[in-house]
């Protein structure tokens, strides 16, 4: 299967798309076609363990990789997860399930892809005959950063530089990043918000002088953000896997299907769900849940993408995003493959901060997605309510999804089974979760985790306890227009 840039006609193989990260024209690589799965394929998938499922699915999504080659990569990628099912399903209440994606080393769903990406990337580089060191540049709204640092730590032939918004991530997220060990890892705080950091990284990818400076140091650039195809493919796997389990266990039936609600920021996770649906997964409505940064809610409801609005810091910081990069891949499909159309929209977004799709495209968008949002107050209320009613502890991102899914059911009366995607451990955001469930906290964000554990008796991952005492290894701070210099300084000192 080939991949095309969302902004041009160029076709590349999967290994090439993964090594490059982003297309030279600034577009994202999107699949030209997707495999079609039958009911029997889902039944067969349900009989495999998670790494075997992932290897099978990736061998179909990524040309140039065989199942035999992918299976050991998948086994290694998921070896450090603290649940044997890797991405377990929990029954929340009748007909409602939670897909827990936070059992990896950094306690957020980013591990599902970022434990895999370094293996895919180094294998892709070999296939492409790439000799240079691959320098990963990544912007993070909180969780990608640590997951990338953890995934690429001391991987030969790679280095990773992570940019995070100064003051824009949670205390635990920041501590996780600035304590990262490894000879090839760099962490820089940017004076700006996530969109500034993400735009800065994208600009570096298109900056000939910077690319040249890196080349002089024997390095070529790639990305670990969800713009990289190697991030997206492992995410499609858990949707197919979850559907296979729901069907096999009789929790969903083929004809009714299941609604899927995803807490969304950059539109990567929910895009993977859309690809799973396109492959034949019995997914009905895709419910796109946002926090107070509700640009996607408005887009789905009106067809107008307007980023010209205040940026809000929320208790679900990994979704504090106004420019949802991965939406571009969906736009290519809305435009029926017309990359010129996508380029025009992205140009307008860049110059005017707004674009509007055509009426027939709005109808398609609204048919596939439901958009909703929850502010911090509603998010806290959801955490408290679900804890009291179901004794299930949700992190704020998951809670945004639960709150929006509830609105969806009330608004539409749709009785189909519901899958809520849980993207982080509640212990990653322990102070806010403790407050929401009425657990008194006396100390800082790290003590809050212990207190929350004692209060709820829900077991905390051991990484949380270790974090408080780890030494800070990274202190670099840069202006948002000086990110290139910060990268080079990291290599030169
Ligand atoms: C990254 C992240 C999200 C948003 O995912 P996107 O793929 O950017 O939409 C939601 N929740 C958590 C905990 C995250 O880390």
């Amino acid at each position: 299967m080939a991949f095309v840039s969302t902004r041009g006609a160029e076709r590349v193989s999967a290994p090439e798309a993964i090594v490059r990260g982003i297309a030279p024209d600034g577009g994202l690589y999107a699949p030209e076609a997707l495999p079609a799965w039958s009911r029997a394929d889902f039944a067969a998938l349900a009989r495999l363990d998670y790494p075997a499922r992932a290897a099978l699915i990736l061998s179909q999504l990524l040309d140039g990789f065989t199942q035999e080659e992918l299976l050991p990569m998948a086994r290694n990628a998921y070896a450090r997860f603290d649940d044997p099912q890797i991405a377990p399903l929990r029954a929340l209440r009748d007909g409602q399930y939670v897909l827990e994606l936070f059992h990896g080393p950094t306690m957020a769903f980013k591990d599902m892809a970022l434990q895999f990406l370094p293996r895919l990337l180094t294998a892709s580089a070999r296939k492409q005959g790439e000799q240079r060191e691959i320098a990963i540049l990544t912007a993070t709204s909180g969780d990608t950063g640590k997951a990338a640092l953890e995934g690429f730590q001391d991987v030969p032939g790679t280095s990773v530089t992570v940019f995070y918004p100064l003051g824009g991530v949670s205390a635990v997220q920041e501590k996780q990043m600035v304590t990262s060990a490894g000879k090839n890892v760099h962490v820089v705080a940017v004076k700006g918000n996530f969109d500034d950091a993400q735009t800065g990284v994208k600009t570096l990818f298109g900056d000939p002088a910077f690319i040249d400076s890196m080349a002089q140091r024997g390095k070529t650039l790639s990305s670990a953000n969800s713009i990289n195809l190697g991030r997206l493919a492992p995410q499609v796997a858990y949707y197919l896997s979850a559907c296979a389990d729901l069907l096999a266990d009789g929790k969903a039936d083929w004809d009714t299907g299941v609604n899927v609600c995803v807490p969304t920021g950059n539109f990567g996770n929910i895009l993977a769900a859309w690809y799973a649906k396109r492959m034949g997964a019995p997914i009905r409505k895709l419910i796109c849940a946002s926090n107070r940064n509700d640009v996607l809610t408005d887009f789905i409801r009106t067809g107008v993408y307007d980023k010209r609005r205040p940026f809000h810091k929320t208790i679900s910081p990994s979704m504090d995003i106004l420019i949802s990069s991965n939406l571009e891949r969906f736009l290519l499909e809305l435009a029926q493959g017309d990359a010129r159309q996508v380029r025009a929209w992205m140009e307008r977004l860049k110059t005017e901060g707004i674009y509007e799709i055509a009426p027939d495209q709005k109808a398609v968008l609204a048919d596939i997605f439901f958009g909703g949002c929850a502010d911090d107050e509603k998010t806290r209320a959801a955490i408290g309510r679900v804890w009291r009613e179901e004794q299930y502890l949700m992190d704020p991102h998951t809670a945004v999804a639960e709150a929006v899914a509830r609105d969806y059911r009330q608004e539409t009366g749709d009785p189909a089974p519901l899958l809520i995607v849980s993207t982080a451990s509640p212990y990653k955001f322990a102070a806010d979760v403790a407050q929401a469930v009425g657990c008194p906290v006396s100390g800082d964000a790290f003590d809050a985790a212990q207190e929350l554990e004692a209060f709820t008796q829900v077991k905390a991952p051991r990484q949380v306890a270790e974090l408080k005492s780890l030494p800070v290894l990274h202190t670099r701070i840069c202006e948002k227009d000086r990110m290139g210099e910060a990268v080079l300084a990291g290599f030169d000192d």
Side-chain angles (χ1 to χ4, degrees):
M1 204 168 51
F3 294 85
V4 290
S5 165
T6 50
R7 299 189 197 178
E10 186 204 27
R11 290 171 90 236
V12 300
S13 66
E16 191 167 357
I18 291 169
V19 169
R20 287 197 184 166
I22 191 166
D25 58 18
L28 277 57
Y29 290 113
E32 212 172 36
L34 286 165
W37 275 41
S38 68
R39 215 169 156 155
D41 290 322
F42 283 93
L45 192 74
R47 292 191 283 272
L48 305 176
D49 67 10
Y50 192 85
R53 293 179 188 191
L56 170 67
I57 293 160
L58 265 64
S59 73
Q60 295 190 7
L61 288 174
L62 305 174
D63 61 289
F65 287 93
T66 64
Q67 217 175 321
E68 294 66 40
E69 185 182 12
L70 288 161
L71 187 57
M73 290 190 210
R75 295 229 176 273
N76 283 325
Y78 298 122
R80 295 171 63 201
F81 279 54
D82 68 10
D83 188 295
Q85 290 183 64
I86 312 300
L89 279 168
R90 309 268 184 241
L92 182 62
R93 42 173 96 87
D94 205 26
Q96 298 188 22
Y97 306 91
V98 179
L99 177 62
E100 291 186 350
L101 300 176
F102 55 75
H103 290 283
T106 75
M107 301 177 284
F109 91 98
K110 304 293 197 290
D111 291 325
M112 295 296 302
L114 277 162
Q115 285 291 310
F116 216 127
L117 180 66
R119 300 163 216 279
L120 284 175
L121 187 67
T122 46
S124 296
R126 258 196 321 274
K127 290 177 199 289
Q128 292 293 107
E130 177 60 68
Q131 306 286 333
R132 292 170 292 183
E133 177 192 293
I134 299 175
I136 301 289
L137 301 189
T138 284
T140 183
S141 58
D143 290 325
T144 292
K146 182 58 182 179
L149 292 159
E150 195 69 32
F152 282 96
Q153 178 185 334
D154 294 328
V155 172
T158 71
S159 66
V160 55
T161 305
V162 167
F163 292 99
Y164 71 93
L166 185 62
V169 300
S170 83
V172 171
Q173 289 175 323
E174 181 170 45
K175 190 78 190 273
Q176 280 185 312
M177 289 190 274
V178 299
T179 57
S180 294
K183 288 188 287 293
N184 62 340
V185 309
H186 310 273
V187 181
V188 182
V190 180
K191 292 187 186 166
N193 63 32
F194 170 72
D195 289 322
D196 295 324
Q198 173 157 266
T199 303
V201 167
K202 278 197 184 168
T203 305
L204 290 178
F205 276 94
D207 176 348
F210 176 73
I211 293 169
D212 192 48
S213 305
M214 291 294 275
Q216 282 168 21
R217 291 166 176 78
K219 298 176 203 301
T220 181
L221 299 177
S222 190
S223 168
N225 277 109
S226 53
I227 54 176
N228 194 314
L229 173 69
R231 280 275 304 271
L232 205 52
Q235 294 182 190
V236 177
Y238 52 72
Y239 286 106
L240 297 175
S241 168
C243 287
D245 283 335
L246 288 170
L247 291 168
D249 300 344
K251 290 170 178 155
D253 70 69
W254 186 259
D255 299 318
T256 311
V258 56
N259 295 317
V260 175
C261 184
V262 187
T264 306
N266 234 342
F267 209 77
N269 201 357
I270 196 164
L271 180 79
W274 159 246
Y275 283 155
K277 180 175 162 74
R278 284 238 348 247
M279 285 175 67
I283 294 173
R284 281 160 63 102
K285 204 74 168 179
L286 287 166
I287 304 169
C288 177
S290 302
N291 63 24
R292 199 172 163 207
N293 296 293
D294 55 357
V295 61
L296 286 168
T297 311
D298 290 346
F299 178 59
I300 291 166
R301 295 190 174 183
T302 66
V304 179
Y305 195 101
D306 186 356
K307 76 169 175 92
R308 302 167 308 171
R309 61 183 73 205
F311 179 93
H312 299 288
K313 284 189 191 178
T314 71
I315 59 169
S316 46
S318 304
M319 294 153 64
D320 290 348
I321 292 174
L322 292 178
I323 306 171
S324 299
S325 288
N326 263 295
L327 184 61
E328 191 170 331
R329 286 186 166 113
F330 183 76
L331 291 176
L332 186 67
E333 300 199 24
L334 263 187
Q336 296 184 321
D338 181 0
R340 273 176 327 187
Q341 169 85 80
V342 177
R343 203 161 57 222
W345 284 326
M346 292 301 107
E347 205 44 53
R348 279 207 65 199
L349 183 65
K350 194 170 166 192
T351 54
E352 293 161 54
I354 183 169
Y355 63 86
E356 180 169 8
I357 59 176
D360 56 323
Q361 294 168 328
K362 289 180 192 177
V364 174
L365 179 70
D367 186 46
I368 298 168
F369 294 97
F370 173 90
C373 56
D375 61 12
D376 283 353
E377 194 187 338
K378 192 163 158 180
T379 305
R380 287 196 186 93
I383 296 171
R385 175 170 42 74
V386 169
W387 172 247
R388 284 191 310 276
E389 291 175 2
E390 316 295 340
Q391 284 73 57
Y392 185 79
L393 201 57
M394 298 186 297
D395 100 288
H397 304 76
T398 309
V400 167
E402 200 276 341
V404 170
R406 193 164 185 253
D407 288 347
Y408 169 77
R409 283 168 86 102
Q410 269 166 7
E411 218 171 294
T412 63
D414 185 345
L418 172 69
L419 185 67
I420 294 168
V421 176
S422 176
T423 49
S425 161
Y427 286 100
K428 201 160 183 179
F429 304 92
D432 288 309
V433 173
Q435 191 199 341
V437 299
C439 161
V441 286
S442 48
D444 59 18
F446 305 96
D447 299 328
Q450 275 184 335
E451 288 166 309
L452 183 62
E453 185 173 28
F455 184 85
T456 60
Q457 299 293 308
V458 175
K459 202 168 154 23
R462 67 178 157 67
Q463 300 92 305
V464 182
E466 290 163 1
L467 206 53
K468 187 167 180 169
S469 57
L470 286 180
V472 171
L473 303 173
H474 307 271
T475 53
R476 199 180 296 278
I477 298 175
C478 79
E479 303 292 335
K480 63 185 179 190
D481 54 356
R482 310 294 282 268
M483 288 167 53
E485 289 156 60
V487 175
L488 298 173
F491 291 119
D492 295 344
D493 56 36

